[in-house]
Amino acid sequence: MTQRFFVELSDAGYEVAVEIYGGDEQRLEDAFAAFRPDLTIAPFLTRAIPERIWREHLTLIVHPGIEGDRGASALDWAIQEKWAQWGVTLLQAEAEMDAGPIWATRNFPLRQAPKSSVYRREAIDAAISCLWEALANFQTPGFRPRPLDYAAPTALGRLRPSMKQADRRIDWSRCETADILARIHAADGVPGVLDEVYGLPVYLHAACAEPELRGAPGAVIARSESGAICRATVDGAVWIGRLKPKLEGGGIKLSALDTLGDRIPADLPVAVPAGLAHPNPVEEVRLERRGDIVHLHFDFHNGAMSTVQCRRLQAAFRQAAESSAKVIVLEGGDDLFSNGIHLNEIEASADPAAESWANIVAMDDLVREIITATDTVVVAALGRNAGAGGAILPLAADFVLVRQSVVLNPHYRNMGWLYGSEYWTYLLPRRVGWERAVQLTEACLPISGRRAAEIGLADEAISGDADQFARAVQAFAAAQAERHAALTDRERLQRQEDEDRRPLDGYRRHELTQMYRNFHQPDAPYHRARSAFVHKRPACWSPLSVRMLTELKRLETSATPEVIRNAAA
């Protein structure tokens, strides 16, 4: 949400500064003194804003709840209690939490879906709508926000306590499938539902209903090739895709099978489910044929792509390319397109450096497969956000379509100064030029789909909701299918010209040489940054700090110590 606010405001011409508040009040006050904002917006809060800040600077807080709702578990309660409508309220910071004057509010139909999905889609879109209303009000002389009034018919919410594990607990002998899914959906992301599987205390994540399999309530009755387990309920069964062990110091969320390891009985059957609603944690990769067009869906949890998942996706792409289809559409997932390599699996591996290397090599092989598929037209359709290698992956396609509201992070350096691979030194400059490619990868700032199209990173930015985007993508793909022969002739010629200028292997060797150093150098900062990300330790810098550190790193190679000290100051 913070990144979406940043790109929307930046695209509209506002001067925006971002400060990550990790609890250091003096640093926060120094940042405010330096920037002197006219308006402060807190899209995502994990701690209270210091009183001195909100008293001296008009501060608006985004609360993911309907008017009158208060408390830290707004979406959790709404999803678990199966509310039909929910909303977002933009209110002014005051001493009493979530009780300040209201600047704007928007309601939306509440899907029965994971909390992160509702947040990424409906909640963020509603918050952006509130943002523009608040900005218009801010510029209106004499405007006064209305106080929270529980007597008003619109104030349907109330103060709710923070949801505890006792509130989330699943009684497998009594809870029906719909209730179990609501509880797991409500705890999605953080904290998960605490439960026990084969004697191991774990947090449950990523669940969907199973339409056919049955068994004793609570029993694990099947597993999937993607690593999910199926547990029976009193009226059916549910698939659970991810588990996080309860460990002192924090566990790592992995596939259910990877988490359970040798606790899984050898005779537990492998099921090939049919009729599951999408998205689900079982069918991560699937092909959908529509005439001459194949849509390749890859819906990986949180957009992370492990070594095995990259190989599976590469095989699916090759299958599509070897079919008679004229166009392949890379669809990504329902909530995220891709976020590159799988940091959780790397962190959990016995040798993180070796697994990092295997993962990036698999990503490179996948990207090369797409680049060299010159007998078919490839269209990347980014209807959802993408980051790191997942934002470079679509550039391997012949055409890139994005929704205007998508947020892209085509950079790597804030993950411990990773150089990055996926042939970015070939793919990014050929679309935006070398100077802008360096700017994008070193500034470490998000850009909108709208901006991506303006600078040539995408071919077209499409407005509207997800359904409108899907229709536009299908129409675009159909038009390219009509031009298949001419387009593929041009592809083959361009690929040969590019190869003669510099072989793909040259880009790959250069990038992987840098990545090998990132992974294998003693005390590599990548490993510290990855560990902090996986274990959800606070970020150590804001975007401005990243830009300053990048400049300092550049100066180290050419400037005198005095110049470096002055720049640091």
Side-chain angles (χ1 to χ4, degrees):
M1 187 180 286
T2 303
Q3 292 197 0
R4 178 76 181 279
F5 271 52
F6 175 81
V7 298
E8 292 276 353
L9 290 166
S10 297
D11 287 354
Y14 290 92
E15 185 180 356
V16 186
V18 178
E19 186 63 29
I20 298 172
Y21 178 42
D24 186 338
E25 292 191 17
Q26 187 58 55
R27 173 179 166 176
L28 191 64
E29 290 180 7
D30 290 345
F32 271 76
F35 188 67
R36 292 177 296 176
D38 298 303
L39 178 64
T40 301
I41 302 171
F44 184 83
L45 278 179
T46 57
R47 50 177 50 84
I49 298 174
E51 182 176 352
R52 182 173 172 182
I53 294 294
W54 58 258
R55 285 201 181 277
E56 295 183 4
H57 304 273
L58 175 60
T59 301
L60 305 184
I61 295 172
V62 178
H63 178 72
I66 56 175
E67 184 175 333
D69 180 82
R70 297 171 56 202
S73 300
L75 270 175
D76 304 59
W77 286 113
I79 293 170
Q80 185 160 311
E81 293 177 348
K82 304 187 190 72
W83 283 59
Q85 291 270 327
W86 201 240
V88 168
T89 305
L90 191 60
L91 48 88
Q92 190 167 325
E94 287 194 348
E96 193 173 357
M97 191 69 70
D98 299 334
I102 296 169
W103 283 69
T105 185
R106 292 289 186 279
N107 288 354
F108 52 80
L110 182 58
R111 289 180 296 127
Q112 277 301 303
K115 178 172 60 176
S116 60
S117 178
V118 174
Y119 191 88
R120 289 180 180 125
R121 297 197 211 176
E122 290 89 348
I124 289 180
D125 285 347
I128 292 297
S129 181
C130 287
L131 169 67
W132 295 125
E133 179 182 339
L135 284 171
N137 291 334
F138 178 71
Q139 297 169 35
T140 300
F143 172 79
R144 293 289 183 272
R146 58 188 174 86
L148 173 60
D149 180 8
Y150 280 106
T154 54
L156 300 177
R158 62 188 187 277
L159 175 63
R160 302 296 296 266
S162 294
M163 187 176 281
K164 307 297 184 185
Q165 284 297 337
D167 302 309
R168 305 181 191 274
R169 190 178 71 85
I170 296 172
D171 182 346
W172 291 90
S173 67
R174 300 181 62 183
C175 288
E176 296 183 348
T177 298
D179 292 326
I180 291 170
L181 289 178
R183 289 167 188 266
I184 297 176
H185 287 340
D188 178 65
V190 177
V193 175
L194 183 60
D195 199 22
E196 189 174 286
V197 183
Y198 292 124
L200 180 68
V202 292
Y203 296 95
L204 311 181
H205 298 270
C208 74
E210 160 55 46
E212 297 180 359
L213 299 178
R214 298 293 182 266
V220 178
I221 56 176
R223 61 188 175 92
S224 74
E225 291 184 351
S226 63
I229 58 172
C230 186
R231 292 185 76 176
T233 67
V234 296
D235 64 339
V238 295
W239 285 97
I240 300 170
R242 294 290 182 274
L243 300 176
K244 181 177 179 179
K246 183 183 180 183
L247 299 173
E248 188 175 347
I252 297 175
K253 188 195 303 179
L254 298 170
S255 75
L257 293 185
D258 285 341
T259 300
L260 295 170
D262 58 11
R263 287 180 171 84
I264 296 286
D267 60 350
L268 184 68
V270 176
V272 182
L276 295 182
H278 296 105
N280 64 68
V282 179
E283 298 174 281
E284 294 180 322
V285 179
R286 61 187 176 92
L287 297 171
E288 178 189 1
R289 183 79 184 243
R290 303 182 197 170
D292 290 329
I293 302 166
V294 170
H295 293 258
L296 177 51
H297 303 266
F298 43 103
D299 207 334
F300 300 124
H301 187 68
N302 286 338
M305 299 168 64
S306 70
T307 302
V308 171
Q309 289 168 326
C310 288
R311 298 295 182 201
R312 191 180 301 140
L313 181 55
Q314 182 184 2
F317 180 86
R318 185 180 297 125
Q319 178 185 342
E322 291 173 352
S323 72
S324 59
K326 294 181 178 179
V327 178
I328 299 173
V329 181
L330 305 178
E331 293 275 4
D334 277 28
D335 289 315
L336 290 163
F337 184 84
S338 172
N339 279 324
I341 61 177
H342 203 308
L343 299 178
N344 275 28
E345 289 213 359
I346 291 168
E347 181 72 9
S349 68
D351 187 341
E355 182 55 34
S356 297
W357 180 257
N359 203 163
I360 200 65
V361 167
M363 279 288 292
D364 279 7
D365 289 347
L366 167 63
V367 173
R368 185 187 181 98
E369 191 86 37
I370 299 169
I371 293 172
T372 57
T374 56
D375 291 332
T376 187
V377 179
V378 183
V379 177
L382 281 81
R384 300 297 174 190
N385 299 348
I392 301 300
L393 168 67
L395 305 185
D398 303 302
F399 299 98
V400 179
L401 306 181
V402 296
R403 281 181 69 195
Q404 288 186 357
S405 58
V406 158
V407 175
L408 305 176
N409 280 279
H411 52 79
Y412 310 82
R413 294 176 72 82
N414 56 0
M415 186 50 63
W417 299 102
L418 278 186
Y419 185 79
S421 197
E422 293 95 12
Y423 297 90
W424 79 263
T425 53
Y426 167 61
L427 296 172
L428 200 52
R430 76 172 181 168
R431 276 193 163 270
V432 301
W434 183 251
E435 183 177 347
R436 179 160 274 152
V438 171
Q439 181 186 28
L440 288 170
T441 54
E442 299 223 344
C444 297
L445 292 172
I447 63 171
S448 66
R450 185 186 303 105
R451 179 62 178 156
E454 289 176 358
I455 65 176
L457 194 64
D459 295 286
E460 186 178 345
I462 298 168
S463 61
D465 61 20
D467 290 338
Q468 291 171 311
F469 180 73
R471 289 193 293 271
V473 168
Q474 181 63 19
F476 183 90
Q480 307 324 305
E482 295 292 326
R483 305 167 56 210
H484 174 265
L487 288 173
T488 52
D489 285 346
R490 189 180 72 185
E491 280 181 49
R492 286 187 285 270
L493 180 61
Q494 185 63 60
R495 177 84 285 281
Q496 189 58 55
E497 289 178 356
D498 289 354
E499 190 70 13
D500 292 342
R501 189 176 301 112
R502 185 183 181 186
L504 281 177
D505 284 347
Y507 295 98
R508 180 172 178 138
R509 280 195 302 272
H510 168 73
E511 293 170 2
L512 289 182
T513 297
Q514 314 305 317
M515 293 292 275
Y516 189 88
R517 292 170 181 159
N518 290 151
F519 296 154
H520 291 278
Q521 277 185 338
D523 199 31
Y526 155 71
H527 295 296
R528 296 194 301 275
R530 184 198 64 245
S531 181
F533 176 86
V534 169
H535 294 289
K536 294 180 169 55
R537 292 193 290 270
C540 58
W541 51 54
S542 298
L544 178 60
S545 306
V546 174
R547 293 199 297 273
M548 291 191 295
L549 287 168
T550 300
E551 179 65 11
L552 288 174
K553 194 170 182 66
R554 184 188 66 79
L555 286 172
E556 286 175 2
T557 62
S558 59
T560 65
E562 183 180 3
V563 170
I564 295 173
R565 283 196 298 273
N566 290 339

